[in-house]
Amino acid sequence: MNSALLLLIALADAAFAGFRAYAGRDARIRRRPAIRRAALRGLTAGVALACVALLCAAGILLAAADPDAAYRDLDAAAGRALWVLVPYAAVVGAALLCYFGGPFRLGTLAVVAGLGPLTMLRPVAVAACVALAGSVSLPAAAVMAVGGVGVLAVEPWVHRRWYPVPV
Amino acid sequence: MLTYRVRVPLLEVSDLLVAHDPATLARVPVVRADAERRLAAAGDSRGVRLLRSVPVRDGGILDEAAVDARLIAVHTELQRLSQELRIGDRLAELLRPLIAAVRAGHPLPDGRIRVVDVGCGLGFLVRWLAAHDILGDDVDLIGVDLHAALVHEAQRLADAEGLRCRFVHADAFRLDVPATVFVSTGLLHHFRGPDLPAFFAAQAGPDTAAFCHYDIATTALSPIGAWMFHRARMRDPLGRHDGVMSARRAHDDATLLTAASAAAPLVPLVFEPRERSNPFCTTLRPVLGVRPGLVEPFRAGLGRAARRLAGAR
Ligand SMILES: C[S@@+](CC[C@H](N)C(=O)[O-])C[C@H]1O[C@@H](n2cnc3c(N)ncnc32)[C@H](O)[C@@H]1O
């Protein structure tokens, strides 16, 4: 259950990473289709990179003497990562609501005090997830690290692949 | 031991990459070593390194095509900041009542109102106003810049979206047709010393009804905010460097009001000055100049937001 929620958050993050990989490369005013395409590209990259983490997890379960216990560890580690990621996602969600739904001064506040700093804190959040997984078991920390590297790799990958120069 | 600091000028690398002949506006070659010396004299070793990343051709002259491509990319990233900081909405909030006041109370020989964006870069402001159809059919939206490559890119972008606006490679103060309202973003801090009042004085001609120039608000938050924001949102280190420099170079409200009084008889005003705004909600604010007869209608059109105006009654 925890693992599924973690995966869901990672994939949502990948879609946003796809948007960021594109943002700043398209100076047109009406960009909805292009934004959708970028988010989809991020999601695709995210799915591919999540598969790598899932393969690692599968390898650990197959090699474990007690696969049930190993699975419980992995799920518990995912649960600890959610301690960080659920509040993070909640703040991002609130900031996005203000940005898209509120008057423009509130939108600026959402960017200046919310979305901007949160983008910079992403690697810290990922590192915290790995550390928390490490407090459960070493194999769990390894899977989390592979997943975390994948999460952080989406944006540079999509950027280099599709948006190296302005469109 | 007595130590003291000499004030060195703060420089933006992108300002050193292009030069124009002021009379003909023809591009003048820039020798990289000369630009490097200016940055070195300003104690900006990071700026020197950034400059060295720009390719040169024979004679150590900066490669114009490489410079143009780099600046177009930096401006495209910069546009993302303008979008996120809602510069379009901010300008529209003031231009709507301002244009209404002009329409009702300013002589318009050919019935047209010309809004001219001075130093338009990629023309985001003008294209945004056109795309959202903010100002009405009697308003011509014109972006002007000294840098031909930016103007061409702005026009290409406008054509790609079929927007009703145009871009001109010219000095904004020597146009064939006079401007009714001058606007700009991120331009004011480029004028230092006597160039700042001279910039405003150039807009005092009889055809000008008003001007509205946005620049980075000097708040306690702006230096760290600019650093954080350019780091989070821009990739090119040149854009990051210049973004932080811009915030450090930005003029405060009092300096702008004083300089804008050089455009007399236009009445100088600041919207959302430091003491009437929240630094988290307002990262850019404008200095305005308005014909005396248009000030009251403009205030009335602004409604409750008029309480954010400072400078004159
Ligand atoms: C930093 S850019 C501003 C870019 C743009 N407004 C933006 O927000 O991205 C300043 C530009 O102003 C232009 N400029 C300065 N004085 C000008 C004038 N008198 N007429 C036209 N352009 C001018 C320069 O060529 C330069 O490209």
Side-chain angles (χ1 to χ4, degrees):
Chain A
M1 184 58 206
N2 287 333
S3 316
L5 191 53
L6 185 65
L7 187 65
L8 213 68
I9 290 180
L11 292 181
D13 181 80
F16 283 110
F19 164 73
R20 283 196 308 276
Y22 149 88
R25 283 300 199 220
D26 185 354
R28 286 170 300 178
I29 306 293
R30 305 186 187 103
R31 293 166 304 142
R32 277 219 186 116
I35 289 173
R36 262 199 298 276
R37 192 174 321 120
L40 214 59
R41 286 170 173 167
L43 189 60
T44 310
V47 168
L49 291 163
C51 284
V52 178
L54 288 174
L55 280 176
C56 282
I60 283 167
L61 292 179
L62 286 175
D66 180 352
D68 282 346
Y71 179 79
R72 272 195 302 278
D73 275 359
L74 289 180
D75 203 55
R80 296 211 178 160
L82 291 177
W83 294 351
V84 176
L85 297 182
V86 167
Y88 183 97
V91 179
V92 169
L96 285 171
L97 261 174
C98 292
Y99 184 75
F100 287 108
F104 66 80
R105 286 189 182 84
L106 186 63
T108 303
L109 173 72
V111 165
V112 172
L115 299 171
L118 284 171
T119 307
M120 291 193 78
L121 284 176
R122 255 173 96 253
V124 179
V126 168
C129 290
V130 176
L132 285 168
S135 71
V136 175
S137 76
L138 220 58
V143 175
M144 195 68 78
V146 171
V149 168
V151 161
L152 295 179
V154 171
E155 185 180 337
W157 183 17
V158 173
H159 184 74
R160 248 172 245 147
R161 168 71 181 77
W162 284 289
Y163 307 107
V165 290
V167 297
Chain B
M1 202 178 88
L2 193 67
T3 59
Y4 61 93
R5 282 171 46 164
V6 181
R7 276 185 76 91
V8 290
L10 299 169
L11 299 172
E12 287 173 56
V13 177
S14 46
D15 283 350
L16 304 178
L17 297 180
V18 267
H20 298 101
D21 180 306
T24 64
L25 299 193
R27 185 95 165 241
V28 178
V30 177
V31 178
R32 191 170 72 185
D34 294 344
E36 268 182 44
R37 262 192 294 281
R38 288 184 62 191
L39 285 163
D44 188 351
S45 51
R46 193 158 160 254
V48 171
R49 281 198 302 281
L50 286 168
L51 191 61
R52 286 191 186 140
S53 71
V54 184
V56 287
R57 52 184 175 83
D58 296 345
I61 289 167
L62 288 175
D63 180 333
E64 279 90 351
V67 165
D68 290 349
R70 184 87 178 259
L71 286 182
I72 286 174
V74 166
H75 275 80
T76 307
E77 288 197 336
L78 204 60
Q79 176 171 317
R80 179 189 180 191
L81 296 200
S82 301
Q83 260 152 354
E84 287 195 17
L85 297 173
R86 301 294 185 86
I87 186 68
D89 292 295
R90 284 172 195 280
L91 183 67
E93 182 187 29
L94 298 183
L95 271 190
R96 279 200 190 96
L98 200 52
I99 295 295
V102 169
R103 217 174 258 132
H106 186 74
L108 299 166
D110 57 359
R112 309 290 307 163
I113 297 173
R114 275 174 284 269
V115 173
V116 169
D117 181 0
V118 187
C120 64
L122 297 183
F124 169 66
L125 220 54
V126 159
R127 289 185 291 111
W128 190 93
L129 290 170
H132 294 87
D133 208 2
I134 299 285
L135 299 176
D137 291 341
D138 57 343
V139 177
D140 297 332
L141 295 164
I142 306 160
V144 186
D145 206 292
L146 300 173
H147 189 165
L150 296 181
V151 171
H152 291 146
E153 181 64 5
Q155 190 66 59
R156 182 189 75 83
L157 289 162
D159 294 344
E161 295 192 273
L163 301 176
R164 200 179 63 80
C165 56
R166 65 192 171 92
F167 294 91
V168 187
H169 173 222
D171 179 337
F173 304 122
R174 292 191 319 202
L175 294 174
D176 297 338
V177 284
T180 321
V181 177
F182 287 105
V183 298
S184 75
T185 45
L187 179 66
L188 295 177
H189 64 269
H190 290 272
F191 300 107
R192 319 300 301 174
D195 288 347
L196 187 63
F199 167 76
F200 288 111
Q203 300 166 64
D207 296 302
T208 313
F211 57 75
C212 178
H213 298 292
Y214 275 83
D215 206 2
I216 302 162
T218 51
T219 63
L221 194 70
S222 54
I224 172 80
W227 176 83
M228 193 276 297
F229 219 62
H230 285 85
R231 194 104 224 128
R233 295 292 188 248
M234 296 189 79
R235 290 185 180 82
D236 191 325
L238 195 151
R240 289 179 175 174
H241 171 276
D242 285 2
V244 172
M245 279 299 171
S246 308
R248 292 177 63 193
R249 276 153 59 98
H251 301 295
D252 61 25
D253 298 335
T255 305
L256 290 179
L257 273 176
T258 307
S261 63
L266 273 73
V267 179
L269 298 160
V270 171
F271 188 65
E272 296 194 282
R274 188 173 175 155
E275 68 280 4
R276 289 187 207 181
S277 61
N278 176 337
F280 287 98
C281 298
T282 300
T283 55
L284 295 131
R285 55 85 185 89
V287 60
L288 298 104
V290 182
R291 284 265 156 219
L294 302 181
V295 173
E296 274 317 312
F298 171 52
R299 277 180 174 282
L302 263 178
R304 269 173 57 77
R307 70 189 189 283
R308 300 179 200 267
L309 270 180
R313 247 296 356 157

